[in-house]
């Protein structure tokens, strides 16, 4: 039997809004567990634009996206949330007692009385490169990550991209592959200079080929690749290719959320504006993923949404208990929870 | 006001008046030009506002900076006249600018 992790509130997505939900729920003594597909908290703020300033966070005339994430983590630390990273929530089902069972793509099982979907633009997934006819080869000859290096042993490997992933795997797989061709559309890389130098040194020793250009075609049959056509500065080049690893960054996809029976509105989850609850009682949606009349995809709107959501979540988790509205500035009991006065 | 023209992949022309200082991408979104997605909202953090600058304008528009070149690696069918439209600021000198939308974004 699989171990089941139990928590009060399961939050899908650890972006800024998911993180702040921990704070608002924590003030009402609800324990949170967050699951995110990335390997760290922050969502789009951390993945897409960590260095960029944000100018519309109240009280912060300018704060970098990563800076905001760091401050949020500091703010929610007293509530000791649990995090599970590198996982996508693949299924969500309602149990007979009204609670929810959530399963990840690695088959971990969670049970929670309340589920909060704070999944932003969906889950980050590897971007499919702009190569015509690539789909039938995916998962058979074309892979977007390396699970086992052995899977590449003895293969004619083509790696596409110019970032650290492309360079690291070029260097790591070169000793096991039969041949390695690195394809990038220009001779400048976004990767660590040391890796780039090592790559050029291997090319010098004819241990690998670096080809400037873009992959424009694939040949093969039944999912088995045999060669790739690269359009370079001097015309088309055909190189042997039985395995391909494209590294074209990440994109956001709604993913399995579409199948959770939440009556989507243009790929967004409709909620009411009192509780930010979905069509399924006990499942809430906050931040960029939800929709209601007048919705604005702003971080600050998400912060407001989680404050109201927390009230409704409390009523589900502690039915019958009177909810006292309090300010953190003046409430000793809230201050004890925040650890700013002695408990 | 500065005139801008987007030519969608199907050949449809979108002519518009653009405010100086705005980005070419913002004008595409405001005028609902098909094929400009601008997923990241103009942070130069995706490559979904990719355009081809008309050959007559490439010199005036100029070359992408290093960060934009990095993002262009993720775009579809990158050409020497490829730019991310969120990184082109509208100014008087660009009055009449013509850009083409690629077959797809990434």
């Amino acid at each position: 039997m699989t171990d089941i992790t139990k928590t009060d509130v399961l939050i899908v997505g650890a972006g800024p809004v998911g993180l702040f939900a921990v704070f608002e729920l924590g003030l009402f003594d609800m324990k949170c567990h967050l699951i995110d597909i990335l390997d760290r908290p922050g969502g789009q703020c951390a993945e897409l634009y960590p260095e960029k300033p944000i100018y519309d966070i109240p009280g912060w005339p300018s704060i970098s996206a990563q800076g905001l994430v760091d401050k949020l983590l500091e703010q929610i630390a007293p509530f000791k949330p649990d995090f599970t990273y590198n996982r996508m929530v693949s299924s969500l089902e309602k149990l007979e007692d009204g609670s929810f069972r959530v399963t990840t793509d690695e088959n971990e099982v969670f049970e929670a009385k309340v589920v909060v979907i704070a999944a932003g633009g969906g889950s980050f997934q590897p971007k499919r490169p702009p190569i015509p006819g690539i789909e039938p080869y995916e998962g058979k000859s074309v892979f977007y990550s390396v699970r086992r290096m052995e899977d590449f042993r003895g293969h004619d490997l083509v790696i596409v991209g110019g970032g650290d992933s492309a360079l690291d795997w070029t260097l790591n797989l070169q000793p096991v592959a039969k041949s390695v061709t690195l394809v990038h559309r220009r001779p400048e890389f976004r990767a660590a200079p040391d890796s780039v130098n090592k790559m050029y040194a291997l090319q010098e020793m004819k241990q690998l080929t670096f080809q400037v250009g873009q992959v424009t075609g694939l040949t093969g049959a039944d999912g088995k690749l045999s060669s790739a056509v690269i359009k370079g500065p001097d015309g088309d080049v055909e190189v042997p290719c039985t395995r391909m690893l494209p590294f074209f960054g990440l994109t956001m996809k709604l993913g399995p959320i579409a199948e959770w029976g939440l009556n989507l509105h243009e790929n967004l989850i409709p909620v009411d504006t009192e509780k930010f609850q979905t069509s399924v009682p006990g499942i809430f949606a906050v931040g960029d993923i939800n929709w209601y009349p007048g919705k604005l995809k702003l971080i600050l709107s998400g912060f407001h949404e989680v404050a109201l959501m927390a009230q409704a979540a409390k009523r589900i988790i502690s039915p019958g208990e009177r909810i006292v509205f309090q300010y953190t500035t003046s409430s000793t009991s809230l201050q004890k929870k925040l650890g700013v006065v002695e408990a | 006001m500065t005139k801008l023209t987007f030519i969608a992949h199907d050949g449809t022309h979108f002519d518009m008046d653009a405010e100086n200082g705005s980005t070419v991408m913002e004008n595409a979104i405001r005028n609902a030009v098909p094929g400009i997605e601008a997923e990241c909202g103009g942070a130069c953090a995706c490559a979904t506002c990719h355009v081809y600058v008309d050959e007559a304008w490439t010199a005036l528009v100029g070359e992408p900076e290093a960060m934009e070149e990095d993002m262009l690696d993720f775009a579809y069918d990158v050409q020497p006249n490829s730019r991310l439209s969120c990184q082109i600021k509208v100014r008087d000198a660009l009055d009449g600018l013509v850009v083409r939308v690629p077959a797809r974004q990434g």
Side-chain angles (χ1 to χ4, degrees):
Chain A
M1 172 95 197
T2 324
D3 284 341
I4 296 176
T5 307
K6 297 205 177 194
T7 183
D8 291 331
V9 182
L10 194 287
I11 301 175
V12 183
V17 174
L19 294 175
F20 195 61
V22 173
F23 184 89
E24 292 293 338
L25 292 159
L27 291 179
F28 291 108
D29 305 306
M30 288 174 274
K31 177 86 175 142
C32 299
H33 194 120
L34 300 98
I35 302 179
D36 200 284
I37 196 156
L38 297 176
D39 59 1
R40 59 195 185 285
Q44 291 180 49
C45 284
E47 179 62 35
L48 286 185
Y49 52 93
E51 309 292 327
K52 306 256 173 180
I54 306 175
Y55 300 106
D56 61 351
I57 303 297
W60 291 94
S62 171
I63 185 168
S64 72
Q66 186 59 50
L68 176 64
V69 172
D70 293 343
K71 284 286 169 197
L72 285 165
L73 288 170
E74 185 186 327
Q75 196 167 18
I76 66 174
F79 302 111
K80 301 188 174 58
D82 293 312
F83 292 91
T84 296
Y85 297 119
N86 299 307
R87 294 291 184 276
M88 181 165 70
V89 172
S90 48
S91 76
L92 170 60
E93 52 179 321
K94 192 161 191 161
L95 303 174
E96 272 179 22
D97 67 355
S99 64
F100 298 93
R101 178 173 293 165
V102 165
T103 311
T104 70
D105 53 352
E106 292 288 333
N107 291 316
E108 290 117 331
V109 180
F110 296 82
E111 282 182 13
K113 297 184 191 86
V114 164
V115 172
V116 175
I117 303 172
S123 46
F124 280 99
Q125 288 171 17
K127 203 168 177 181
R128 173 179 286 159
I131 302 170
I134 194 170
E135 290 89 341
Y137 298 106
E138 288 174 336
K140 292 174 181 158
S141 301
V142 174
F143 298 92
Y144 294 103
S145 62
V146 178
R147 296 235 161 178
R148 290 181 346 124
M149 283 173 57
E150 273 307 302
D151 297 341
F152 297 85
R153 182 174 294 279
H155 279 281
D156 290 310
L157 174 63
V158 172
I159 295 180
V160 195
D164 280 308
S165 307
L167 265 295
D168 290 350
W169 286 118
T170 297
L171 300 177
N172 288 330
L173 292 170
Q174 185 274 327
V176 298
K178 183 174 159 201
S179 72
V180 175
T181 308
L182 173 66
V183 182
H184 183 44
R185 73 170 181 94
R186 56 199 173 108
E188 294 84 32
F189 290 87
R190 305 183 306 280
D194 181 53
S195 313
V196 177
N197 293 339
K198 281 184 182 149
M199 186 279 293
Y200 278 123
L202 284 167
Q203 189 193 26
E204 201 65 17
M205 294 186 286
K206 305 211 184 302
Q207 305 276 313
L208 60 77
T209 311
F210 166 47
Q211 179 69 48
V212 174
Q214 299 173 72
V215 178
T216 53
L218 301 172
T219 48
D222 302 327
K224 284 188 180 167
L225 269 180
S226 52
S227 70
V229 178
I230 300 159
K231 186 172 135 194
D234 309 314
D236 286 356
V237 190
E238 191 165 356
V239 297
C241 172
T242 56
R243 285 281 184 276
M244 178 176 279
L245 278 168
F247 294 106
F248 273 75
L250 300 174
T251 184
M252 287 173 285
K253 292 237 169 71
L254 186 61
I257 292 173
E259 286 131 44
W260 296 349
L262 298 172
N263 304 324
L264 299 189
H265 167 93
E266 291 175 359
N267 272 343
L268 298 168
I269 304 173
V271 292
D272 65 72
T273 49
E274 179 196 345
K275 302 170 178 164
F276 298 92
Q277 189 163 248
T278 67
S279 57
V280 179
I283 303 180
F284 298 83
V286 291
D288 284 0
I289 194 126
N290 75 10
W291 181 84
Y292 50 84
K295 168 71 183 181
L296 291 178
K297 289 187 181 186
L298 292 176
I299 292 173
L300 90 100
S301 305
F303 289 168
H304 159 78
E305 292 162 16
V306 296
L308 271 64
M309 173 278 292
Q311 303 264 329
K314 181 66 178 173
R315 290 193 173 87
I316 292 173
I317 287 178
S318 311
E321 199 175 298
R322 201 166 72 90
I323 297 177
V324 186
F325 177 74
Q326 300 178 93
Y327 293 103
T328 53
T329 314
S330 52
S331 158
T332 316
S333 86
L334 293 185
Q335 289 167 2
K336 279 180 189 165
K337 293 173 195 180
L338 292 166
V340 292
V341 294
E342 273 184 47
Chain B
M1 282 295 193
T2 304
K3 298 260 183 224
L4 281 187
T5 300
F6 281 83
I7 304 176
H9 189 63
D10 67 3
T12 315
H13 283 233
F14 291 82
D15 300 316
M16 57 196 74
D17 290 321
E19 212 175 300
N20 283 350
S22 65
T23 67
V24 171
M25 178 279 282
E26 288 172 298
N27 290 283
I29 297 298
R30 240 174 250 154
N31 291 278
V33 176
I36 299 291
E37 294 168 12
E39 221 170 62
C40 79
C44 197
C46 68
T48 61
C49 66
H50 174 206
V51 294
Y52 302 123
V53 175
D54 185 272
E55 301 294 347
W57 291 91
T58 47
L60 258 174
V61 171
E63 298 276 317
E65 290 189 15
M67 182 174 69
E68 185 185 338
E69 277 286 3
D70 284 353
M71 285 322 303
L72 276 169
D73 288 343
F74 302 126
Y76 173 72
D77 195 11
V78 178
Q79 306 284 345
N81 59 339
S82 286
R83 290 291 309 263
L84 295 181
S85 54
C86 73
Q87 300 301 305
I88 308 173
K89 282 248 162 89
V90 174
R91 53 186 196 271
D92 284 337
L94 298 185
D95 190 29
L97 175 67
V98 178
V99 299
R100 289 183 174 75
V101 181
R104 53 185 244 203
Q105 298 286 349

